[in-house]
Amino acid sequence: MKKASLFLLVGMMLMPVLFAWGSGEQAKEEGPIPITIYRGGITVDAETDPVVQELNKRLNVKISFVTAPWSENRQKVNLILSTGEPVDIVTTVDDIPRWADEGAIIALDRYISEDTHPYIYKLVNSATFSPLKIDGKAYSIPQLPLGIPWGTFVRKDWLDKLGLKMPTNEEELYKVAKAFKDMDPGGNITGFQFEGDRQIRRTTIPIMSMFGVPSSFWDQHVNWDIKNGKLTHIATMDNTKAALKYMNRLYNEGLINHDFPSMNSFPKLTEKYMHTGSAGLGWVIWPFTAQGRRLKEIDPNAEVAVLQPFSAKGYTFRKAQGLMVQIHAVVSSQSKNPEKAIECLEFFNSYEGRQLLVAGVEGEHWSSFNDDGTFVRIEEIWEGDYGKEQYHPLNFYLGQGNCEGYIPADKYDTFEEAYANAVPFLPTSLLNEVNITAEYKEGAKWCAAPNPLQFVQFPEHNDLKVEVEEAIYTGWTKCIAAKPGEFEKTWQEHQAELKRVGLDRWTALYQEYYDKNLK
């Protein structure tokens, strides 16, 4: 009888738990729940950083970071996902079809709804980004900026010293770059600072645009010249050949840094050239608010302006195409808490989350926020924690891209509407200075022309995509660095390689999609 009573008592104690399991309910979460996040270039200590501590408190988590230098970012991401390293959230990921096919990342759909995850739900189901779905499922969160705060910096103080004006055509640009180089008889100054490796895609944007090439910040493999319904890949255009030939001229006269093919880190490039006074021009992020200020700290006499768009003779200027996104945030299949990981990603993109990740902790780093995104910073405490940084170091690629503000997905019916009404965050102390809002306006002059094919994918042809990409980046690099008299030969070799890897087949896939869905 005692045993029967004991079994009855145990059974009564277990019934609520069994009922919860059977009904799909989860018991109240214990905390804090550990969440490990990979992001390249982490500079903060998760154990002491005030913003991370506030995130932990609000989300009932214990965040830790795995990181690598930006120059090793892609290799580290590949290593994490291919070896099953126990990481919950991985940012700055590309090649999503591969990782989905290999089961390295999870589909998000079962965990999200419009009510509970308005940002993620509206983004992945938007007209713009739904082509990224694989077999009807969303595996990734595109990491978006508020815009493209890039521009071609020009050393205005050097122009003034040499009695030169801002260039307005390609020959004037050449003469300015040469005059900058000739300032130093020791040969320590180059005209243009150039990135290489895969970043050749973005560093060439200004010159490609001058020669009428609708290039792209991230994804040249899906960039086309579309005329009368026919797609021509930009890598085969005569305009592209002319632009590369112009860059080859600059390179052979020492007006582009000769180490560019191996220069795969933007911070290292800028530290080596712009910040040391060894380059007079270059396509850079935050030309005023970050690079210009840093240069001013090193050289108080330095002044930076930005190049304005113009057309090369015989060509018509064309803006680079597409949004600045090719990398994504994903949840690893190794995550023990995928629901919590996705909750974190949604919070990182909410109004409160963006306030934290951009401006810091309320009451510690800022005292008030206005509807227009301006906020009153508590300068002494902010500088004690983050020095001269304008924004918290984690605003960049922690669930989002270069997003120094907020995309109000919860306030609009579509993600496109929300993105069009994004709100940059800005300390009131910078209102009377050139600030990031101006940089977005400058970047918009060069980039973000519509590309209706940007997010169309063919996962079953991923190997072809990779080969096409690599052929473009390698070919452009070789053309720019071709020896004098060898450009034509190098261009023809590049075209032959594009044909060999299957660019014609790649183009045919997109032509068929265009004819069926967009023509």
Side-chain angles (χ1 to χ4, degrees), residues 314-377:
Y315 298 89
T316 301
F317 176 89
R318 292 179 71 175
K319 287 168 58 169
Q321 294 182 334
L323 298 174
M324 194 182 72
V325 58
Q326 192 190 38
I327 48 181
H328 306 256
V330 300
V331 176
S332 167
S333 58
Q334 300 302 310
S335 176
K336 294 181 180 179
N337 297 286
E339 295 95 340
K340 179 57 75 171
I342 294 170
E343 180 189 334
C344 288
L345 286 167
E346 179 67 28
F347 182 78
F348 295 162
N349 291 291
S350 68
Y351 184 67
E352 293 79 9
R354 296 315 300 166
Q355 282 182 317
L356 257 178
L357 291 170
V358 174
V361 182
E362 181 178 8
E364 291 185 40
H365 301 121
W366 55 271
S367 59
S368 62
F369 239 92
N370 301 313
D371 291 340
D372 64 358
T374 57
F375 61 94
V376 178
R377 173 168 281 163

Side-chain angles (χ1 to χ4, degrees), residues 99-110:
W99 301 120
D101 182 63
E102 293 183 7
I105 58 179
I106 66 168
L108 307 173
D109 309 77
R110 62 176 288 200

Side-chain angles (χ1 to χ4, degrees), residues 95-384:
D95 208 359
I96 300 302
R98 170 194 170 186
W99 301 120
D101 182 63
E102 293 183 7
I105 58 179
I106 66 168
L108 307 173
D109 309 77
R110 62 176 288 200
Y111 301 103
I112 64 174
S113 72
E114 187 170 359
D115 292 333
T116 58
H117 301 78
Y119 181 88
I120 297 175
Y121 183 89
K122 288 180 182 176
L123 186 154
V124 302
N125 290 295
S126 66
T128 301
F129 294 105
S130 58
L132 291 172
K133 290 188 176 184
I134 301 168
D135 295 329
K137 296 179 180 179
Y139 284 86
S140 65
I141 303 169
Q143 297 187 265
L144 293 170
L146 292 184
I148 300 180
W150 287 66
T152 300
F153 85 86
V154 182
R155 283 292 298 265
K156 185 177 182 304
D157 54 315
W158 291 2
L159 287 177
D160 294 342
K161 179 180 178 180
L162 295 166
L164 297 172
K165 294 181 180 180
M166 187 71 76
T168 59
N169 59 56
E170 81 279 16
E171 279 306 306
E172 289 179 5
L173 183 63
Y174 162 78
K175 290 175 182 177
V176 164
K178 191 172 188 309
F180 286 172
K181 176 178 171 54
D182 292 345
M183 285 172 57
D184 179 17
N188 295 315
I189 294 179
T190 188
F192 261 97
Q193 65 169 41
F194 254 52
E195 293 180 272
D197 195 36
R198 295 174 66 83
Q199 308 313 340
I200 196 74
R201 55 196 174 189
R202 69 182 179 200
T203 203
T204 56
I205 280 177
I207 294 174
M208 288 291 186
S209 291
M210 295 170 198
F211 282 84
V213 181
S215 189
S216 156
F217 203 92
W218 286 111
D219 38 27
Q220 272 78 359
H221 64 286
V222 290
N223 276 66
W224 320 89
D225 182 35
I226 305 175
K227 290 182 179 176
N228 300 319
K230 182 182 178 182
L231 275 60
T232 300
H233 198 279
I234 63 166
T236 66
M237 292 174 65
D238 289 341
N239 303 58
T240 302
K241 180 181 179 181
L244 291 171
K245 189 173 184 178
Y246 177 82
M247 288 182 260
N248 174 248
R249 176 190 178 192
L250 297 180
Y251 177 86
N252 281 319
E253 295 195 28
L255 308 184
I256 289 175
N257 49 297
H258 277 208
D259 63 351
F260 89 88
S262 61
M263 186 60 73
N264 62 358
S265 167
F266 176 79
K268 287 182 180 178
L269 172 77
T270 308
E271 288 167 12
K272 182 175 181 179
Y273 290 100
M274 181 184 184
H275 293 165
T276 62
S278 300
L281 302 123
W283 178 251
V284 298
I285 189 171
W286 306 311
F288 300 122
T289 59
Q291 315 310 339
R293 284 199 180 98
R294 175 63 181 145
L295 181 61
K296 196 84 170 174
E297 291 173 3
I298 298 168
D299 179 0
N301 295 316
E303 286 188 57
V304 168
V306 292
L307 193 67
Q308 296 301 301
F310 59 75
S311 299
K313 186 177 181 180
Y315 298 89
T316 301
F317 176 89
R318 292 179 71 175
K319 287 168 58 169
Q321 294 182 334
L323 298 174
M324 194 182 72
V325 58
Q326 192 190 38
I327 48 181
H328 306 256
V330 300
V331 176
S332 167
S333 58
Q334 300 302 310
S335 176
K336 294 181 180 179
N337 297 286
E339 295 95 340
K340 179 57 75 171
I342 294 170
E343 180 189 334
C344 288
L345 286 167
E346 179 67 28
F347 182 78
F348 295 162
N349 291 291
S350 68
Y351 184 67
E352 293 79 9
R354 296 315 300 166
Q355 282 182 317
L356 257 178
L357 291 170
V358 174
V361 182
E362 181 178 8
E364 291 185 40
H365 301 121
W366 55 271
S367 59
S368 62
F369 239 92
N370 301 313
D371 291 340
D372 64 358
T374 57
F375 61 94
V376 178
R377 173 168 281 163
I378 303 172
E379 298 290 348
E380 183 177 353
I381 298 176
W382 175 263
E383 289 192 14

Side-chain angles (χ1 to χ4, degrees), residues 33-141:
I33 294 172
I35 294 292
T36 302
I37 302 173
Y38 171 78
R39 199 211 80 165
I42 292 286
T43 57
V44 301
D45 182 352
E47 296 296 323
T48 59
D49 183 75
V51 167
V52 176
Q53 301 313 305
E54 184 68 16
L55 287 170
N56 288 340
K57 183 169 67 174
R58 294 199 196 185
L59 293 167
N60 189 31
V61 295
K62 175 70 172 175
I63 290 174
S64 60
F65 293 116
V66 176
T67 192
W70 283 117
S71 59
E72 300 171 14
N73 177 68
R74 199 169 191 227
Q75 299 94 309
K76 183 62 175 178
V77 167
N78 290 346
L79 183 66
I80 289 170
L81 293 176
S82 62
T83 62
E85 189 173 333
V87 175
D88 296 283
I89 297 169
V90 186
T91 70
T92 60
V93 182
D94 58 10
D95 208 359
I96 300 302
R98 170 194 170 186
W99 301 120
D101 182 63
E102 293 183 7
I105 58 179
I106 66 168
L108 307 173
D109 309 77
R110 62 176 288 200
Y111 301 103
I112 64 174
S113 72
E114 187 170 359
D115 292 333
T116 58
H117 301 78
Y119 181 88
I120 297 175
Y121 183 89
K122 288 180 182 176
L123 186 154
V124 302
N125 290 295
S126 66
T128 301
F129 294 105
S130 58
L132 291 172
K133 290 188 176 184
I134 301 168
D135 295 329
K137 296 179 180 179
Y139 284 86
S140 65
I141 303 169

